[in-house]
Amino acid sequence: MRKRFIFYLLLSIPLLLTDAHFSELLYEFSFSHFMVTSYLFVTILFLFCQSEYSQWSFAYAIIFGTIYDYYYFSFLGITVLSLPLFSLTAFGFKKIFSKNLSVFQESLLYTICLFIYVIVTFLLLRNHQFINLSLSFFITYHFLHTIIFN
């Protein structure tokens, strides 16, 4: 059990550090104003929260949120707050709902958790003045496409 947990932890580090670069690559190859962000790491975190190691998901989210903040923003406070909130939401859904969820139900729960993560991240970025987008522009040209893509 412990070896598998360490394996998941070490496997997540390259995914965390290349996730935003993959999103940038998607944006470069698109021919429109729409920006699609891949949340591969957040997807892995959701699966981690639904697995047998879910009790470690909050600490996992704080550690990797800190790494993400320093790697991409050189500023602590955006992902270190929104990623643990995402993991708590996913863990709460695991505790509330039964283990016999269909694929559709689990994807719906993932979409709800991703919605919370993206909106909280957007609000924190606006609060710290990293972006200057209106909410309507963000939803139209970024958020809806990201939800559909992920």
Side-chain angles (χ1 to χ4, degrees):
M1 179 173 123
R2 186 177 180 107
K3 289 180 184 179
R4 189 182 305 173
F5 174 72
I6 291 172
F7 175 73
Y8 287 146
L9 194 68
L10 293 176
L11 185 65
S12 299
I13 293 172
L15 185 61
L16 172 75
L17 299 178
T18 59
D19 198 14
H21 299 294
F22 180 67
S23 297
E24 186 66 29
L25 187 67
L26 284 174
Y27 179 69
E28 291 297 322
F29 287 121
S30 69
F31 299 107
S32 64
H33 304 314
F34 304 116
M35 180 158 182
V36 175
T37 304
S38 85
Y39 289 108
L40 296 174
F41 179 74
V42 176
T43 305
I44 297 298
L45 180 62
F46 179 78
L47 295 174
F48 187 75
C49 290
Q50 302 299 317
S51 73
E52 59 198 47
Y53 306 111
S54 60
Q55 68 270 16
W56 294 99
S57 63
F58 186 73
Y60 182 79
I62 289 175
I63 291 167
F64 283 104
T66 305
I67 292 170
Y68 190 91
D69 275 345
Y70 279 123
Y71 183 74
Y72 290 111
F73 298 122
S74 298
F75 178 79
L76 185 63
I78 306 296
T79 313
V80 78
L81 292 175
S82 57
L83 209 56
L85 181 64
F86 174 83
S87 76
L88 284 177
T89 306
F91 184 73
F93 281 150
K94 179 185 177 197
K95 291 292 184 188
I96 291 172
F97 298 109
S98 68
K99 293 191 181 253
N100 299 328
L101 295 175
S102 69
V103 174
F104 176 74
Q105 291 169 330
E106 203 156 312
S107 64
L108 184 63
L109 290 178
Y110 171 70
T111 305
I112 292 169
C113 291
L114 186 63
F115 171 80
I116 292 169
Y117 174 75
V118 171
I119 292 297
V120 166
T121 303
F122 172 76
L123 293 174
L124 287 170
L125 285 170
R126 278 211 44 194
N127 187 37
H128 292 294
Q129 298 175 351
F130 279 115
I131 58 173
N132 195 15
L133 300 175
S134 67
L135 185 61
S136 61
F137 183 86
F138 174 74
I139 289 173
T140 305
Y141 291 104
H142 177 74
F143 179 68
L144 292 177
H145 310 286
T146 298
I147 292 292
I148 291 169
F149 177 74
N150 287 296

